[in-house]
Amino acid sequence: MKTGETAIILGIGTDTPLSLRRRLLDMGITKGAELRVERHAPLGDPVEIFVKGYHLAVRMSEARTIEVERIKNTPVAFVSASENTLD
Amino acid sequence: MSSGKIVIAGNPNAGKTCLYNALTGSAQQVSNYPGVTVDIKSGVLRWQGQRTTVVDLPGTYSLTAYSREELVARNFILDEHPSLIINVVDASNLERNLYLTIQLMEMQIPMVIALNMMDTAERRGYKIDVEGLSQLLGVPVIPTIACRDKGIDEISAASLAVLHGKEKADPSPLSYGHGVDDEVVSLTRVIEKIPALKERFSPAWLAVKLLEKDERAATEIRDLTPSESDALLKQADDAISRIERHFNADASTLVAEHRYGIAAGMVKSCVTHTASNRRDITESLDLIVCNRIAGPLILVMVVAALFFWVFKVSDEWAWIPWFDGFQSPTGFMETLFLSLSRFITPLEESMPMLYSLLNDGVIGGVGGVMSFVPLIFFMFLFVAALEDSGYIARVAFILDRPLRTFGLQGKSILAFIVAGGLGAGGCAVPGIMSTRTMREDRDRLVTMLVTPFMNCGAKMPVYAMLIAAFFPHNRTLIMMILWALSWITALVAAWILRRTLVRGEQMPFVMELPPYHMPVLRGVLRHTWERTWMYVKKAGTVILAINLVLWALMYFPRPAEDVAADEHLAFSFAGRAGKALEPVSQAAGFDWRTNIALIGGFAAKEVVLGVLGTAYALENTDEDNFLSLSEHLAQKPDWNPVRAFALMVFVMLYAPCLVTIAVIRRESGSWKWALFATLYSTTFAFILAIAFYQIGSLLI
């Protein structure tokens, strides 16, 4: 995803360790929530996202476990696997 | 069963501390929960002639026990059986805050909600139906603006009414949806039949925890009822598989999502949002502060300013009124102990040993600790203000990536800079204490272990003396090399530690970037005072004890007749140790005199200079008057620039001073790491000193 883009969270990857999954859940990364990529840190990592009304900093390695579907003007038919994460 | 205590729980940045301060006034105790360095504050709420203990739990987003804070908050509630929870909820961020509220409700303890930051919520266009929310939750909801003392009386009144049974505040039962609820009920029934569990946990809460695959809960069950745990855990596993098969999803995720579902439902029915689309201050500020180019520049400026002001205010500017003019706070402390020392001078003739004990051992030791106090106070003051404003989170955001390469993280930079990472001056003690803002244990430990490599103020006089003697034409160059060397060593050491002793996955770094706000002076001052006082109390006692030991080593045994100071020193245990170490230390070019000085330097690095002076039989050698020593060494045939450089490298890197060791022990929670810090850095220092000495000697 690019800076400024908005997406709907589909879930957290099933092969994600339980501790990380819990942490993300506790911070509000839940299915159906809307997520916006705010900006990247100077070296591109971590990434700042806006979700449920607040700002979160997440490392890219952890952000990649969040599966999303981009919101576009037209419905998305097929989104490739890599586009489905926060890359 | 319940303790009559009130606990305050809530998300970080929800205004918990403000509410706590408003409720308890000034008197309070700060204690450390055993084994971890998370502070638990407790104070007394006095209201209309009644007194109740109030405990401020660490701020958490959840109670899943994955972080230190969560574990402490959760265990405190389980161990202490509070009679009431005051849950501070950020009204402007209701949904996520209610997620914790729901977890607290699961514990089935009477609760009062402080719906805080009502002003921010209104400004953002949220209208909250307080009465409706209270009905849904089953507990009183009181709107507050804690930082401006609004709603405090109402909270006190409601809390005491609940405590005395005049008002009901039992949280409503929660539903996790069809399929899950049934499992909760049947597990609850099993748990209710086990007295050991029933005594400690709310059975329904434990049932939910088991379905969430909470490892901590499982461990505790095994400890409490070894005989019955297998059957219970098996039953829980079966229930989990049934749920996962039914919903085709992970059970712990399901439970969490249901909690969010409940929270979202409440928000939907109680909050109306009139859109205010204007960007708030935080977003506008972050456009600049977190910008790829401006961000790092601002960071450097803020850090430089912090550094500049702390040392100006605490050490350089004389602004404390004193008899004959003004003193700087540090100077004031030094003067205080100097006059104490003068006060006992009459003893020098009559009772020389007592005098030396009092002067060098007690006053020197305590004075050494106390002279750090102004520096620490102001460092905490500035750091607390930065923390309170929300900026520290941005620092961590900007610097996380580069520092992660070495197994550190964004916030490590603060410790390095405070410890002297910018060049001249600084102090590892406040540096290590500043790591408290780090929530990740391993990152924090490694940061603490490498922070003392920075060039603190105490190393400066030693460098200055040796550079003046052996590198008079290359001062700047040598200082630059020493500065670079300290950073390289710290980063490489962190890299090695992270791959050997402090191995393990880096903790997930999911951090909230909280909205900026003006630091609240009262809170910042109070925070600063607590930290400073803790330092004085704890470090002071340890330092004094070890300093007395060092004093004895340099004083005993006494030679039979009166001899000069240098011969006396050579005769002492420290002197003998210095000579005994000479065959080894020769590899780095250190003779026995240097060895004694370095042994003395364990107390504080400034001491190196003084002891070296005594060992070379010079009178009145102190840091203001090192020139004579410098000239003396420059003329000695066995000294040369290579030896001097090796010594500087050693002084830079070897064992942290006593105060630092005591602080590492305090902050890491164990003597093991304090001892390790001493040993590994001395080894590191010795190896490098040998390398520089041997290679340097070949080149000359």
Side-chain angles (χ1 to χ4, degrees), chain B residues 287-501:
Chain B
L287 276 181
I288 310 164
V289 170
C290 293
N291 179 281
R292 285 192 168 191
I293 296 149
L297 288 177
I298 292 175
L299 174 65
V300 171
M301 269 155 44
V302 168
V303 160
L306 167 102
F307 194 65
F308 178 81
W309 286 108
V310 165
F311 286 97
K312 276 271 182 250
V313 173
S314 64
D315 198 9
E316 289 172 36
W317 278 346
W319 53 277
I320 304 253
W322 189 245
F323 294 119
D324 48 353
F326 290 86
Q327 287 267 15
S328 75
T330 307
F332 171 75
M333 285 288 177
E334 280 162 4
T335 315
L336 209 66
F337 282 92
L338 199 66
S339 34
L340 256 179
S341 165
R342 287 219 187 91
F343 180 71
I344 58 161
T345 311
L347 289 176
E348 194 175 0
E349 290 295 309
S350 51
M351 289 175 270
M353 192 174 112
L354 182 69
Y355 170 77
S356 175
L357 173 72
L358 287 177
N359 191 49
D360 303 333
V362 179
I363 297 178
V366 177
V369 174
M370 294 305 286
S371 65
F372 280 112
V373 167
L375 196 66
I376 282 172
F377 179 84
F378 287 105
M379 193 63 86
F380 279 152
L381 190 72
F382 284 77
V383 172
L386 276 184
E387 220 179 313
D388 203 21
S389 73
Y391 186 66
I392 297 290
R394 273 76 185 177
V395 174
F397 177 69
I398 294 172
L399 287 176
D400 185 65
R401 184 69 198 86
L403 285 168
R404 207 180 334 144
T405 315
F406 300 97
L408 298 163
Q409 58 142 295
K411 287 182 187 165
S412 310
I413 195 75
L414 196 70
F416 291 171
I417 285 160
V418 171
L422 285 187
C427 177
V429 172
I432 286 168
M433 284 171 140
S434 76
T435 61
R436 287 181 165 220
T437 56
M438 296 166 69
R439 283 162 178 266
E440 294 75 13
D441 284 341
R442 291 198 197 92
D443 296 353
R444 180 166 182 238
L445 182 62
V446 173
T447 308
M448 283 196 276
L449 290 176
V450 302
T451 297
F453 289 139
M454 294 292 137
N455 285 321
C456 73
K459 297 172 191 172
M460 289 299 155
V462 184
Y463 296 162
M465 186 276 285
L466 289 170
I467 290 176
F470 299 101
F471 306 96
H473 307 300
N474 296 313
R475 284 166 199 265
T476 319
L477 177 71
I478 296 293
M479 280 310 294
M480 291 280 285
I481 292 175
L482 290 173
W483 174 76
L485 197 65
S486 70
W487 273 91
I488 294 169
T489 315
L491 292 177
V492 169
W495 191 87
I496 294 174
L497 283 170
R498 215 62 171 79
R499 271 155 193 78
T500 52
L501 283 170

